[in-house]
Amino acid sequence: MNRIVTVGAAQTGPIQRDDTRSEVVERLIALLRRGADAGCDLVVFPELALTTFFPRWWVDDRAEFDHFFETEMPGPDTQPLFDEAARLGVGFHLGYAELTPDGQHFNTAIVVDRHGTTIGKYRKVHLPGHHDHQPWREFQHLERYYFDPGEGFGVFAGFGGVLGLAICNDRRWSETYRVLGLQGCELAMIGYNTPIHYAPDPSQDVLQGFHNRLCLQSGAYQNGMWVVGVAKAGDEEGCDLLGESAIFAPSGEVAAACSTVGDELVVAECDLDLCADYKDTLFDFGYYRRPEAYGPITDQKGVIVPPEVAAALEDPGGEGT
Ligand code: CDT
């Protein structure tokens, strides 16, 4: 019997700064109910799904923004989501800002089973943007100021398969999927908030949708896993966020895709057994990978052009010119 997990990608439209947690949770519950009606086993919400994307603003005292963080999960405002999930028998994925008892701040995602029990937790590894105030930008991207980095990519047992979590910018790094793939991940959930305007190089603005799909799709194919990418979309406090939430099959094909920038649910029946079509053939890691040739992937961080290559390029009339 095939292992089918019916997954809902529950994109949300924008969340404004003054929207309360209870208002947002009500929206998430409405999407969860739509998921239940559509036969979903699991509904996937975006990154930082409970608040506006607050790293777009600078405050001198970071603690002023601690109200955007959750100190407990579930807490009083989020308990109704857990209760409704358990009542409906539907699991969910949720991204939120986490403040730990010892004062650490993380960009976090959890996966909750159909009984309302948290079965997996992940803290974002790749923190994009900058750590300092850059007033020349239309808006800031201060994840490196507000968050501490997470430590690694784990996988979890749930819904009959191996589940993996990553968050937004993680999806642009092939290492993310491969580390999950090396742990047998069959279904990766990735929430995102992606401003369409990229201040350091605005020529990329028109390519945001293409780059989003390129990364999610190739991550799915090259690791033989389902990938569920879910956005918080639309005009949030004057910042236009990419939508284009979608579910990708282990073949890399699109199984379901959102077409709006509002609260929207799309559903796909994800057959986890399809992963083996890729994991056991072209991407049979145990048979084909050559880790002995991949040293620089873990030994070095930035680019090092080998000195002999650099020298050849500097030598007028030499081999490199
Ligand atoms: N949330 C998040 O990680 N967004 C980033 C924006 C990159 S530009 C600073 C992303 O990769 O989509």
Side-chain angles (χ1 to χ4, degrees), residues 47 53 124 128-129 141 143 168-169 171-172 193-195 198:
E47 173 194 37
F53 189 76
K124 188 171 183 177
H141 197 108
E143 289 197 60
C168 195
N169 189 259
R171 77 194 190 288
R172 302 188 193 272
N193 284 253
T194 294
Y198 181 58

Side-chain angles (χ1 to χ4, degrees), residues 59-82:
V59 281
D60 288 332
D61 179 5
R62 272 181 18 163
E64 269 181 52
F65 270 10
D66 277 356
H67 64 91
F68 284 119
F69 288 75
E70 310 302 311
T71 52
E72 46 184 344
M73 186 54 69
D77 292 322
T78 44
Q79 187 65 54
L81 179 65
F82 283 69

Side-chain angles (χ1 to χ4, degrees), residues 1 185 235 255:
M1 202 174 77
C185 181
D235 181 349

